[in-house]
Amino acid sequence: MKKVRIYVTYKESVFDPQGETITTAVKSLGFPQVKEINVGKFFDVTLLETADLDQTIAAISEKLLVNFNLETYHYQVLEEQK
Amino acid sequence: MKKVRIYVTYKESVFDPQGETITTAVKSLGFPQVKEINVGKFFDVTLLETADLDQTIAAISEKLLVNFNLETYHYQVLEEQK
Amino acid sequence: MTKKLTPEQIQQQKPYLAWGLSEKEYDYISQRLLGRLPNYTETGLFAVMWSEHCSYKMSKPVLREFPSTGKRVLQGPGEGAGILDIGDQQAVVFKAESHNHPSAVEPYEGAATGVGGIIRDIFSMGARPIAMLDSLHFGEIDQPRTKYLINEIVAGIGGYGNCMGIPTVGGETTFDPCYTGNPLVNAMCVGLMDQADMQKGRAQGIGNAVMYVGAKTGRDGIHGATFASADFADDKETQRSAVQVGDPFMEKLLLEACLELTHKHQDWLIGIQDMGAAGLVSSSCEMAAKADSGMELELDQVPQREPGMSAYEIMLSESQERMLLCIKKGFEKPVQDLFESYGLEAVVIGRVTAGHQYILHHQGNKVTDIPVSSLTDDVLEEQGTEVMPSRLQQAALQPVWQPTEFDFAATFYQMLQQPTIAAKTSITQTYDSQVRTNTVVGPGSDAAVLRIRRTTKGLAMTTDGNGRFVYLNPEIGGKLAVLEAAANLVASGAEPLGITDCLNYGDPHDPEVYWELHQSVKGMAAACRALEIPVISGNVSLYNETNQQAIYPTPMVGMVGLINDIQKYETIKLKNAGDKLFLIGTTTDDYAGSELQKMLQHEISGQLADIDLKQQVAGLQQVLHAVQAGLTSSVHDLSEGGLAIALAESTFATDLGLQVTVPLTDAQLFSETPGRFLISVAPAKVAQFTELMQDKALLIGEVIPQKKFELKTLTATYQLDLLRAQKLWEDAIPCLMKSKA
Amino acid sequence: MRVAVVVFPGSNCDIDLYEALTSVCKVEAAYVSYQQDNLAGFDAVMLPGGFSYGDYLRCGAIARFSNIMPAIQQFAAQGKPVFGTCNGFQILTEAGLLPGALKQNDSLKFVCKTVALRVENNQTVFTNQYQAGEVIQLPIAHADGSYYADQETLAALEANHQVVFRYATENPNGSLNDIAGITNRRGNVLGMMPHPERAVEQLLGNTDGLRLFKSLLAGQTIKEAAH
Ligand SMILES: Nc1ncnc2c1ncn2[C@@H]1O[C@H](COP(=O)(O)OP(=O)(O)O)[C@@H](O)[C@H]1O
Ligand SMILES: [Mg+2]
């Protein structure tokens, strides 16, 4: 078994209202040292060992998990499991 | 400046209907090797260098970013910036 | 997980006390009902089934005072929801439910799962849910926690209802400091059905299957029911979470699948019930008890989300979006196939058996073997002790508060900004109030109105309750809650048909609280009898306290009415310049518990004037006749803020203004004397209208085409700025929510 | 004319479309399950609003893999009318039948209210009964209706007159260029966040959506007459 974490975020050019709202809220809570907060989501995919892990992850991301109009992604293999 | 990534996920026992629905969708798209997908979110916080980084991050998380009824978090310092 | 205790250890260590079962009850169960010591699982089942939340052991004697019969009643209290005949072989189904404690702890999911639960109650009767309403009571918007609660609770209600495609069409929202630590979140669902599709939650016929459908069972909400009945202390975080999470998508599938089953396959189905509080145990043993059947369940068959769940956990879990069915033997497979076509799991978990035992098997052991009725019918009723609260005894001796000199115009603008009076658009706009395209009048009028497709009829509905009045005088306050709901329906052109309620009170073991409960129910019951309408369903929420401080006693009334000719519905908005304005009902100096008193005094006090129910009902009937006869252009009942506020509200979102002369003092414009209406009437209909209203209609002015409000009272003349008034009214809650505490 | 109203798991405005077509416009319509794989016998396809798959992952992201989608793709490729409102619009963008994407509203909240829209293009099969530039009122009810496309795509949409409806007074969600509804290049696929099917009866207070359905019918008569 493998565990892969896929990170998805808005592209640079896309306005993220949530990030902005959170940044404002955090600052006004008394954390002026905070400059910016960006929000993203991640998917922890547990899957059977495959030879073509990279392709599989790319395929899942591109087909379903990521909308390329708005988003971009990268991933990281988390840990080896039995 | 520091950049810290705060990861927020559901606690173990909390039912995550979204994760379940996505898992089913991915499997049925022709990825039977996928066993499970869990969804989480992350916050990339850019903030001024502070002595008490740990406390600051904990305070922001506990006050705003994390709902302790359902969620738990951990964080990681991403990179050193000027 | 603690290691399971033996029956003897349970007897000695008394863990059941922490689960809410008293020593007296435990002894009664072991000595009288079972004749042996209950084991761990059985003790847990008793604890939860005998909680106030499931058994109504303290409130039952009081609830008997409600009238629950009538010529329209097809199903009274006792099932998932009550059902009323509305003619044409159709019926309306409704019930309300509180989710106060879960919402105080986890506001989004607490409110969302409250909505989910009440929707299941409606479709378990065979009805299609057509509308949601809510009743929300919060603390003052001056603390970050309150703002958080408001945002999350409102988002939870919308999140669930919107996704289900059930419009949220009405409700009420009030603000008082007593609700700060313990907000009230009551939700009401209304359904529509053909009478032929009526279902009941019963399991009968030896050998018939008990089937489980919907979401898997997890460890969420274990002891939710007893938790809902336990006094409330400041919450703590833990690593595990017992919070139930709603899945409205799953519930939408469940709704459609269950409606297909109940509408198209009645020959397969014996009974259906939702798994609400106390999950599998309450639904299964109630279904067996109602049919006087025995039941045997195989808990290993129950679909489980987590490994290693104990029998106790499986039975008590309050995982959401689950239903229990009793299916005729031989039809298990078609039922499975039907649910499968919606992507849902349906599993046989047991059978109806001969005799009257409730038997549970788990991992090869018989973990429970007790009489069905011992969980449901043998509960020891508890007669509460009652004492009139000392505050009321003292109040009788105190002088009555009367507003003295004040600046009328300034007070008028300030009153419009009181959050209880101010526009609730920032809340209602986050609810889909139109989906399914039947909403004729959505949020913002006195009552919501929905048309019934393919008929000429409509249904009007409202939720009302005013804790302040009940706090000052529970009996009169109870009457007022019912009358106010009726007035809202009548103003919309509907004949009241019946009510559901949520009774929100503090700890019933406090004799003063129990007295409040009893007195207010007495008042509500009297008003129902005067209106000749039944109480067909309801819900009791006790222990609404934070750190021993109880909320105002707050009964919520949900009322549904029938409009025979949907073209003749009415709203509060002025329609035409030139229409004459009438005030119906006499105005006296009633400031006890009024918004004016609260604003000026920062607290409420005084005594309520007694109410002549007969006269009130006669007044309502006259107004209803006028609306039904098509004589009115707009109708608005007077409630919080009195005549001044009603006048202003009826101009908002119109291009019209007012010219008004009233034989009242400045203060009386804010008096909250019940039983009054503001009605506008076209000049051509004035004669007919005044004749119908006899001497009750007082001409007070005219609708004018300019956006102006000219007001002449007994003491002075005022020019009020309606655009400013509307802006203040609209912006008040958004501003408070944004302001830094 | 016969219209297919596609029902996905979680669709909930399906009945609204169906009733607008059948009860109000007296057009023949049928519900078509997402599990079906063909649209034979239909002259138009409509994708309703709602929460397909609970809006999990992204609105419309999972629905677009339904069995029925290849048939819809083919139907659109043949130049036949395809319409999506609200979640239907989201599904059409996720499926690539329309460019761009719908993001969470800038307010981060669900919003249900009536908004003013300008009809920017009345030369489509869905809008020929409106005047160009006319301002109409239609209800919206969504949490994710903020239209986004990159600059190039936006420029192309504008140049080709694919923006059919634009928010006229207030932009309720943050949509770029105030976009409320667009067509594909060919003009036979329309997606819009507002709900015309909620505005077809005087009893419910608004009939500004009626002409969208009438437009479709008018187009049909013209075509049939030309045969
Ligand atoms: N939480 C809410 N949810 C839905 N509608 C609400 C809510 N709060 C208030 N409303 C709506 O706002 C309007 C005014 O409410 P309210 O002041 O309680 O009316 P009334 O005094 O006539 O009972 C009503 O149409 C009501 O349905
Ligand atoms: Mg009213």
Side-chain angles (χ1 to χ4, degrees):
Chain A
M1 285 286 211
K2 284 262 183 205
K3 205 165 178 179
V4 178
R5 179 165 285 182
I6 306 175
Y7 298 86
V8 180
T9 49
Y10 274 149
K11 289 180 184 166
E12 283 272 353
S13 54
V14 178
F15 170 62
D16 174 15
Q18 203 188 354
E20 187 157 286
T21 307
I22 293 175
T23 307
T24 316
V26 167
K27 283 184 188 167
S28 77
L29 269 179
F31 300 96
Q33 67 272 48
V34 171
K35 292 300 145 207
E36 198 186 346
I37 301 187
N38 292 302
V39 189
K41 50 190 172 179
F42 62 85
F43 301 91
D44 283 346
V45 183
T46 313
L47 73 177
L48 292 178
E49 205 83 41
T50 44
D52 53 354
L53 187 71
D54 291 317
Q55 279 117 300
T56 306
I57 293 300
I60 293 173
S61 302
E62 284 164 33
K63 258 191 137 166
L64 186 71
L65 299 183
V66 186
N67 181 335
F68 285 98
N69 284 303
L70 301 169
E71 297 167 333
T72 164
Y73 80 103
H74 68 276
Y75 70 91
Q76 164 191 14
V77 179
L78 282 193
E79 69 208 76
E80 293 293 320
Q81 288 183 331
K82 270 281 141 65
Chain B
M1 286 286 211
K2 285 259 184 205
K3 203 163 179 181
V4 179
R5 179 165 287 181
I6 305 176
Y7 299 85
V8 180
T9 50
Y10 274 144
K11 287 181 186 172
E12 278 275 350
S13 50
V14 173
F15 173 43
D16 176 14
Q18 172 163 252
E20 205 148 303
T21 305
I22 295 174
T23 308
T24 314
V26 169
K27 282 185 188 167
S28 74
L29 275 181
F31 300 97
Q33 67 271 47
V34 171
K35 291 300 144 206
E36 200 185 341
I37 300 187
N38 292 301
V39 188
K41 51 190 171 180
F42 63 88
F43 300 90
D44 284 347
V45 183
T46 314
L47 74 177
L48 293 176
E49 207 82 39
T50 44
D52 54 353
L53 187 72
D54 290 318
Q55 281 117 296
T56 307
I57 293 298
I60 293 174
S61 302
E62 282 163 35
K63 276 194 149 155
L64 192 75
L65 301 182
V66 185
N67 174 352
F68 284 96
N69 288 316
L70 302 168
E71 296 170 333
T72 170
Y73 79 103
H74 67 275
Y75 69 91
Q76 164 191 13
V77 178
L78 280 194
E79 69 210 74
E80 293 294 322
Q81 290 184 333
K82 273 279 141 70
Chain C
M1 264 296 301
T2 48
K3 214 173 151 288
K4 262 193 231 161
L5 304 172
T6 64
E8 292 71 25
Q9 286 168 325
I10 291 172
Q11 187 186 28
Q12 285 149 21
Q13 299 175 18
K14 306 190 200 322
Y16 54 80
L17 291 178
W19 304 342
L21 204 61
S22 72
E23 210 161 334
K24 182 176 152 205
E25 289 170 326
Y26 175 82
D27 290 343
Y28 182 79
I29 289 162
S30 42
Q31 288 158 23
R32 306 285 294 278
L33 295 182
L34 303 185
R36 63 176 168 83
L37 297 178
N39 65 28
Y40 184 85
T41 306
E42 291 166 343
T43 310
L45 300 188
F46 277 108
V48 71
M49 288 303 295
W50 284 40
S51 70
E52 175 62 31
H53 196 67
C54 289
S55 73
Y56 290 81
K57 61 191 171 194
M58 284 198 83
S59 43
K60 226 180 218 164
V62 169
L63 296 179
R64 289 199 190 100
E65 306 213 3
F66 281 139
S68 59
T69 55
K71 58 180 193 306
R72 290 187 185 271
V73 178
L74 300 172
Q75 175 66 59
E79 284 287 336
I83 309 181
L84 294 174
D85 188 350
I86 54 167
D88 302 327
Q89 273 78 56
Q90 287 184 307
V92 63
V93 185
F94 54 92
K95 185 175 189 291
E97 176 111 339
S98 60
H99 240 211
N100 306 335
H101 296 143
S103 305
V105 174
E106 167 42 44
Y108 184 96
E109 296 298 343
T113 54
V115 170
I118 193 66
I119 292 171
R120 286 194 297 283
D121 273 328
I122 300 306
F123 72 75
S124 73
M125 305 306 292
R128 154 105 29 208
I130 58 164
M132 286 291 314
L133 298 96
D134 58 4
S135 169
L136 307 177
H137 300 270
F138 298 115
E140 299 292 349
I141 314 178
D142 58 3
Q143 293 173 24
R145 175 72 187 169
T146 302
K147 293 179 194 188
Y148 174 74
L149 288 174
I150 295 171
N151 276 330
E152 294 291 304
I153 286 169
V154 167
I157 290 173
Y160 210 100
N162 295 348
C163 184
M164 288 292 292
I166 300 171
T168 302
V169 297
E172 61 168 345
T173 319
T174 78
F175 303 85
D176 265 296
C178 67
Y179 304 112
T180 303
N182 195 128
L184 300 185
V185 179
N186 296 174
M188 169 176 170
C189 186
V190 181
L192 183 67
M193 71 192 302
D194 289 335
Q195 290 177 20
D197 294 331
M198 268 167 55
Q199 302 298 329
K200 287 197 168 159
R202 51 193 58 211
Q204 63 193 10
I206 296 167
N208 285 335
V210 178
M211 292 185 79
Y212 170 116
V213 300
K216 289 188 169 77
T217 296
R219 287 198 172 91
D220 29 39
I222 307 276
H223 269 301
T226 44
F227 154 76
S229 302
D231 193 355
F232 215 49
D234 299 326
D235 47 303
K236 285 253 150 47
E237 306 152 10
T238 57
Q239 252 325 103
R240 285 188 56 82
S241 171
V243 170
Q244 300 126 272
V245 174
D247 181 1
F249 171 56
M250 167 78 83
E251 179 131 316
K252 168 71 173 163
L253 302 176
L254 198 56
L255 160 73
E256 299 299 339
C258 287
L259 287 183
E260 181 175 335
L261 177 68
T262 52
H263 294 177
K264 299 207 183 128
H265 304 290
Q266 296 194 350
D267 48 330
W268 305 350
L269 182 67
I270 308 281
I272 171 168
Q273 182 159 334
D274 85 292
M275 289 189 224
L280 188 50
V281 56
S282 81
S283 53
S284 60
C285 74
E286 280 173 15
M287 283 180 80
K290 277 187 262 180
D292 208 14
S293 307
M295 188 180 279
E296 211 163 327
L297 302 180
E298 280 293 342
L299 303 192
D300 303 298
Q301 301 303 317
V302 172
Q304 290 161 52
R305 215 169 59 219
E306 295 179 69
M309 289 182 70
S310 69
Y312 171 89
E313 289 173 319
I314 293 169
M315 294 309 292
L316 266 58
S317 160
E318 293 193 354
S319 291
Q320 299 291 301
E321 291 95 21
R322 303 177 300 162
M323 304 286 287
L324 199 63
L325 312 175
C326 181
I327 296 295
K328 242 177 240 168
K329 195 172 167 180
F331 293 102
E332 296 87 345
K333 182 72 173 72
V335 169
Q336 257 155 14
D337 293 344
L338 188 160
F339 281 91
E340 168 85 45
S341 76
Y342 287 90
L344 297 168
E345 205 174 359
V347 186
V348 176
I349 60 163
R351 297 277 163 189
V352 178
T353 54
H356 306 282
Q357 286 299 103
Y358 185 69
I359 299 170
L360 306 178
H361 300 276
H362 186 228
Q363 297 176 341
N365 300 316
K366 191 193 272 185
V367 291
T368 292
D369 187 352
I370 55 181
V372 168
S373 63
S374 65
L375 288 175
T376 53
D377 301 335
D378 299 336
V379 181
L380 286 180
E381 262 184 33
E382 220 179 313
Q383 187 68 54
T385 14
E386 306 182 30
V387 173
M388 184 198 238
S390 52
R391 68 166 193 276
L392 297 183
Q393 289 162 7
Q394 283 154 17
L397 307 170
Q398 275 158 11
V400 181
W401 178 79
Q402 294 286 346
T404 45
E405 298 269 295
F406 58 81
D407 177 343
F408 178 85
T411 308
F412 172 74
Y413 296 121
Q414 205 189 341
M415 282 285 279
L416 285 165
Q417 299 173 69
Q418 299 307 298
T420 295
I421 285 178
K424 308 299 184 300
T425 323
S426 56
I427 294 172
T428 58
Q429 203 169 265
T430 66
Y431 300 154
D432 189 339
S433 52
Q434 303 170 321
V435 59
R436 297 191 77 78
T437 47
N438 292 315
T439 309
V440 177
V441 181
S445 205
D446 278 334
V449 177
L450 278 84
R451 57 100 176 266
I452 304 176
R453 266 188 206 283
R454 287 175 256 292
T455 73
T456 57
K457 296 187 294 194
L459 291 170
M461 51 202 74
T462 179
T463 55
D464 286 286
N466 187 328
R468 294 177 198 162
F469 292 152
V470 184
Y471 177 75
L472 295 180
N473 186 321
E475 187 177 353
I476 297 176
K479 288 178 188 171
L480 286 174
V482 174
L483 286 174
E484 149 117 58
N488 281 323
L489 294 190
V490 162
S492 312
E495 173 204 347
L497 296 182
I499 76 169
T500 183
D501 64 70
C502 276
L503 303 175
N504 305 285
Y505 296 83
D507 180 349
H509 294 100
D510 176 340
E512 296 193 346
V513 169
Y514 199 80
W515 186 87
E516 291 171 343
L517 170 66
H518 192 178
Q519 293 297 312
S520 50
V521 165
K522 222 162 101 182
M524 292 167 75
C528 286
R529 275 191 293 270
L531 285 159
E532 295 178 37
I533 55 172
V535 179
I536 59 164
S537 59
N539 166 267
V540 178
S541 171
L542 302 174
Y543 304 95
N544 289 290
E545 316 204 331
T546 351
N547 306 326
Q548 267 95 58
Q549 195 57 45
I551 56 162
Y552 289 157
T554 314
M556 184 280 272
V557 174
M559 194 182 287
V560 175
L562 185 64
I563 301 178
N564 274 317
D565 177 0
I566 186 64
Q567 300 298 336
K568 296 231 177 75
Y569 74 91
E570 196 53 277
T571 70
I572 70 170
K573 296 218 180 323
L574 302 177
K575 308 288 183 322
N576 316 299
D579 282 357
K580 301 293 176 199
L581 280 171
F582 290 91
L583 173 62
I584 315 298
T586 43
T587 304
T588 43
D589 290 301
D590 295 291
Y591 306 106
S594 68
E595 192 64 40
L596 183 70
Q597 183 183 42
K598 190 202 163 211
M599 186 176 91
L600 298 178
Q601 295 285 99
H602 306 294
E603 60 175 12
I604 55 165
S605 66
Q607 297 195 65
L608 304 181
D610 208 355
I611 293 187
D612 183 339
L613 284 174
K614 236 180 160 167
Q615 194 188 321
Q616 291 281 332
V617 171
L620 289 172
Q621 254 147 18
Q622 268 178 330
V623 173
L624 181 58
H625 287 155
V627 179
Q628 286 173 335
L631 299 178
T632 57
S633 297
S634 73
V635 182
H636 191 1
D637 79 310
L638 307 194
S639 57
E640 286 97 346
L643 179 60
I645 299 304
L647 283 164
E649 282 173 345
S650 53
T651 69
F652 293 161
T654 74
D655 302 324
L656 302 168
L658 299 162
Q659 203 161 41
V660 172
T661 305
V662 276
L664 301 175
T665 64
D666 285 7
Q668 282 172 337
L669 270 131
F670 301 109
S671 160
E672 296 186 10
T673 314
R676 297 177 303 152
F677 292 86
L678 175 69
I679 301 185
S680 68
V681 180
K685 294 178 178 170
V686 163
Q688 216 186 328
F689 175 75
T690 46
E691 190 190 319
L692 180 71
M693 299 306 294
Q694 292 154 343
D695 55 350
K696 296 240 181 64
L698 176 69
L699 180 65
I700 58 166
E702 191 174 303
V703 181
I704 57 174
Q706 302 84 16
K707 203 91 195 113
K708 294 198 299 193
F709 182 5
E710 292 174 21
L711 174 67
K712 204 165 155 202
T713 67
L714 282 177
T715 38
T717 302
Y718 301 101
Q719 299 284 347
L720 301 157
D721 183 344
L722 282 177
L723 290 173
R724 176 173 171 222
Q726 179 168 343
K727 182 138 179 46
L728 292 172
W729 176 78
E730 279 171 354
D731 292 346
I733 292 179
C735 282
L736 284 167
M737 291 296 287
K738 263 185 236 136
S739 72
K740 284 190 198 163
Chain D
M1 161 153 259
R2 196 154 175 266
V3 183
V5 175
V6 183
V7 183
F8 298 94
S11 292
N12 63 33
C13 304
D14 43 348
I15 186 173
D16 304 1
L17 268 181
Y18 181 87
E19 292 286 346
L21 289 162
T22 57
S23 309
V24 181
C25 299
K26 311 293 177 199
V27 179
E28 204 186 329
Y31 294 118
V32 172
S33 161
Y34 73 109
Q35 290 162 321
Q36 303 287 307
D37 62 5
N38 86 78
L39 289 162
F42 289 105
D43 306 296
V45 176
M46 297 199 165
L47 278 59
F51 289 67
S52 59
Y53 293 93
D55 275 358
Y56 294 143
L57 185 57
R58 292 182 312 276
C59 309
I62 300 178
R64 79 130 162 138
F65 293 102
S66 307
N67 258 357
I68 191 70
M69 287 311 289
I72 295 177
Q73 299 267 9
Q74 203 185 0
F75 197 87
Q78 290 163 356
K80 295 183 190 164
V82 175
F83 171 76
T85 168
C86 204
N87 191 230
F89 184 16
Q90 294 161 341
I91 296 170
L92 290 173
T93 58
E94 283 284 346
L97 277 161
L98 290 172
L102 292 143
K103 292 163 53 197
Q104 188 178 26
N105 297 348
D106 277 2
S107 66
L108 308 179
K109 287 190 173 166
F110 188 96
V111 58
C112 172
K113 65 169 164 187
T114 295
V115 297
L117 299 176
R118 194 164 46 249
V119 181
E120 297 283 13
N121 180 351
N122 71 341
Q123 303 294 306
T124 78
V125 61
F126 308 99
T127 54
N128 56 58
Q129 300 294 302
Y130 294 102
Q131 305 295 314
E134 183 183 351
V135 173
I136 61 171
Q137 307 284 327
L138 286 183
I140 53 166
H142 60 250
D144 303 83
S146 177
Y147 183 79
Y148 177 85
D150 58 38
Q151 285 308 320
E152 211 177 311
T153 309
L154 279 178
L157 283 174
E158 297 289 357
N160 302 325
H161 306 289
Q162 286 169 252
V163 177
V164 174
F165 296 108
R166 219 187 287 274
Y167 299 112
T169 48
E170 154 210 28
N171 180 335
N173 49 30
S175 285
L176 293 183
N177 294 19
D178 298 328
I179 286 173
I182 55 168
T183 63
N184 59 348
R185 182 81 205 249
R186 192 167 168 183
N188 65 313
V189 179
L190 169 67
M192 62 194 292
M193 287 316 293
H195 287 276
E197 78 283 11
R198 293 188 182 190
V200 294
E201 288 176 90
Q202 198 49 56
L203 179 63
L204 306 189
N206 185 352
T207 54
D208 279 1
L210 194 53
R211 281 179 286 160
L212 186 133
F213 299 93
K214 294 272 161 84
S215 296
L216 199 55
L217 293 175
Q220 181 74 8
T221 5
I222 295 163
K223 242 192 275 163
E224 273 167 11
H227 270 231

